[in-house]
Amino acid sequence: MNLSQPTVLGRTGLKVGRLGVASTYGAPCKAFEEAFDRGCNYFYWGSVRKSGMGEAIRNICGRGKRNDLIIVIQSYSRSASLMELSCRRALKRLALDCGDVLLLGWYRKRPPTRILERAENMRRKGMFRFLAISSHNRKLFPKLAKENFFDIFHIRYSAAHRGAESETFPYLQGEKRVGVVSYTATRWGQLLDEKKMVPGEPAPSASDCYRFVLSHQAVDLCMTGPKNLEQMREALRTLDLGPMSEDELARMRKIGDYIRGANR
């Protein structure tokens, strides 16, 4: 497995770098452009749309690279009309007519029919091409996969949250499988905190957390949320270091179990 090479995001056919980048935490334009130049093209223009990513997207499109970008627009709205309005506003800020992915954020169960019907109507209007959903309910994804309605799943997965290995990933296989994007690889920074570590163990780096996630064959892409250029470059080390060895994976599981147990 070579993490520096793009992969295909499930049945979407989209070629994506193995790291996705989020606008939420405020990294500057330069950080996102540097990531794009390293092949990271899955840009999460989420519910917190910071100017750094917006500027980077406009610059990249200005270089004639729009077709190489995968722009993800998220909506947490449970109102169908507000969901469409939010998507239109997101596109307007980027001076674009169409995004690539509409992500329905954080559902515990199947979205209401009114949401799905409006999403399909938005797709017919050309506002996006592929539909995604995120959830912390791992058992929801196999049920949704049977409906064949969603193209991409955003699934929580880290060394401390490994339930997807048994409850989700085994059910998302086959030639026409849904694309799998993981998030919270650092468990909101807890896996990087020296104060929370197994006694005698140094804390993993952010790139260790991303490598752990991407070492699982079911994961196409791992999200990152850098605050600055330094954090972006640390994330990009993942592409050079590649997947983890069995010893490295065992260490990450040990740390993840300790942190999860301590929080409980």
Side-chain angles (χ1 to χ4, degrees), residues 39-140:
C40 302
N41 62 342
Y42 195 85
F43 276 46
Y44 172 83
W45 184 235
S47 53
V48 182
R49 297 159 185 158
K50 296 291 184 70
S51 59
M53 176 175 283
E55 183 181 355
I57 289 174
R58 289 188 291 271
N59 289 348
I60 292 166
C61 292
R63 290 158 49 189
K65 299 288 187 178
R66 171 64 184 96
N67 290 338
D68 297 326
L69 266 178
I70 310 300
I71 298 174
V72 184
I73 297 172
Q74 177 166 279
S75 174
Y76 286 112
S77 177
R78 270 41 179 176
S79 161
S81 59
L82 291 179
M83 176 179 70
E84 181 167 348
L85 178 62
S86 175
C87 184
R88 289 190 182 281
R89 286 175 174 170
L91 291 171
K92 185 176 181 180
R93 282 190 61 185
L94 300 175
L96 296 175
D97 295 322
C98 178
D100 297 290
V101 178
L102 174 63
L103 172 58
L104 306 184
W106 216 3
Y107 278 85
R108 289 289 302 170
K109 58 184 180 179
R110 185 183 186 273
T113 299
R114 68 179 185 279
I115 294 291
L116 297 180
E117 288 180 348
R118 179 61 67 95
E120 189 56 37
N121 184 255
M122 291 165 61
R123 178 158 30 193
R124 286 196 295 267
K125 291 178 183 178
M127 295 178 68
F128 69 93
R129 296 189 290 157
F130 301 101
L131 187 62
I133 187 170
S134 70
S135 178
H136 284 188
N137 180 6
R138 295 183 294 261
K139 294 182 180 179
L140 174 64

Side-chain angles (χ1 to χ4, degrees), residues 1 3 18-19 155-165 169 182-187 191-192 204-224 234-235 237-239 241-257:
M1 188 190 302
L3 299 184
R18 302 304 301 278
L19 290 176
I155 300 172
R156 182 176 64 166
Y157 178 56
S158 72
H161 290 121
R162 303 197 304 276
E165 293 175 357
F169 294 157
S182 75
Y183 63 98
T184 66
T186 68
R187 201 177 194 253
L191 287 167
L192 313 179
S205 64
S207 57
D208 287 333
C209 296
Y210 304 139
R211 290 173 64 216
F212 174 85
V213 168
L214 290 171
S215 293
H216 199 291
Q217 295 285 348
V219 178
D220 296 312
L221 184 153
C222 178
M223 292 303 305
T224 67
E234 166 59 24
R237 289 181 65 234
T238 303
L239 308 179
L241 294 170
M244 286 188 153
S245 67
E246 286 302 320
D247 287 344
E248 289 175 308
L249 291 171
R251 173 177 175 264
M252 290 295 294
R253 293 186 190 108
K254 176 182 175 182
I255 291 171
D257 289 344

